Amino acid sequence: IDPKDGIANALNHAAWVYYITGNAEDAILTLHEAISLAAESGDLATHARVVNSLGQIYMGLGQTDKAILQFEESYGLSSRLGDRGNMSYSLNTLGTIYNDIGENRKALETYERALVLARETGVKSEIGRSLCNIAFAYNSLSEWPEAVGFAQQALQIANEINKESLASDCYITIGIANANYGDYAAAI
């Protein structure tokens, strides 16, 4: 085991401490150092994890262009590893960014790719998250029946696995879609 992997992981954690205590600049510098170490060691899993962290921090800072680059890189690293779970995570996060910047069709397409990968892993929480994200994208595209349909599928999974945060997101998405569709009784 290359000690650089352990150091990269420790720096990843340290960067989050910097970030949550209000020192984003040091967090970013620390993550760049961790990325260099992970790349030197050749550990793609650690490299992808640290790049994800950097993407999350850029998202939190509203630097969407930089965040997109990080999640695209993480997706590529995870793809080389065959890590479908992290590939799905990266795509779901990219979809969220695209939705946030108004690229709703691109968000939908990205979420659909994430769903394919999530289904391949069989991890129900990831399948449910992808379905709920697709529903949210359909809401953004004013395609209300599709939004409700995908949110209901996600809600079924959320209830099966007792994932309350996912269920809450589904109920919100269903309510918004029904209200926008004019079905106020169903929205309540």
Side-chain angles (χ1 to χ4, degrees):
I1 298 175
D2 191 325
K4 291 177 186 170
D5 297 337
I7 296 168
N9 276 316
L11 289 172
N12 189 28
H13 293 292
W16 280 106
V17 172
Y18 283 131
Y19 182 69
I20 62 175
T21 58
N23 194 341
E25 185 176 325
D26 281 344
I28 291 168
L29 291 172
T30 301
L31 286 170
H32 280 291
E33 183 179 348
I35 288 168
S36 294
L37 288 170
E40 286 174 26
S41 75
D43 180 357
L44 294 177
T46 298
H47 194 166
R49 217 175 7 262
V50 175
V51 169
N52 268 337
S53 291
L54 186 56
Q56 289 289 344
I57 288 174
Y58 282 138
M59 273 181 67
L61 296 172
Q63 297 179 18
T64 55
D65 291 341
K66 290 180 179 180
I68 287 169
L69 292 174
Q70 298 310 308
F71 287 108
E72 287 174 344
E73 181 179 352
S74 175
Y75 176 83
L77 292 165
S78 299
S79 180
R80 288 176 45 201
L81 275 171
D83 182 352
R84 288 176 167 32
N86 200 47
M87 291 165 66
S88 177
Y89 172 82
S90 296
L91 289 173
N92 269 314
T93 307
L94 279 167
T96 299
I97 295 169
Y98 294 140
N99 226 12
D100 288 348
I101 61 176
E103 293 186 35
N104 302 325
R105 185 63 59 190
K106 190 171 186 175
L108 176 61
E109 292 165 359
T110 305
Y111 289 144
E112 288 170 337
R113 290 174 52 211
L115 177 60
V116 169
L117 292 164
R119 284 185 168 147
E120 289 175 4
T121 68
V123 177
K124 286 191 173 195
S125 61
E126 283 299 311
I127 296 168
R129 174 56 51 206
S130 296
L131 288 166
C132 190
N133 285 343
I134 289 170
F136 187 79
Y138 275 123
N139 254 348
S140 298
L141 292 165
S142 303
E143 297 180 25
W144 319 123
E146 290 84 356
V148 170
F150 278 95
Q152 287 174 336
Q153 290 177 59
L155 180 59
Q156 181 179 355
I157 291 171
N159 289 331
E160 284 175 19
I161 61 173
N162 199 27
K163 185 92 171 169
E164 293 176 2
S165 61
L166 177 59
S168 175
D169 290 344
C170 294
Y171 283 122
I172 291 167
T173 301
I174 291 168
I176 290 169
N178 282 319
N180 286 325
Y181 192 56
D183 189 351
Y184 301 109
I188 298 174

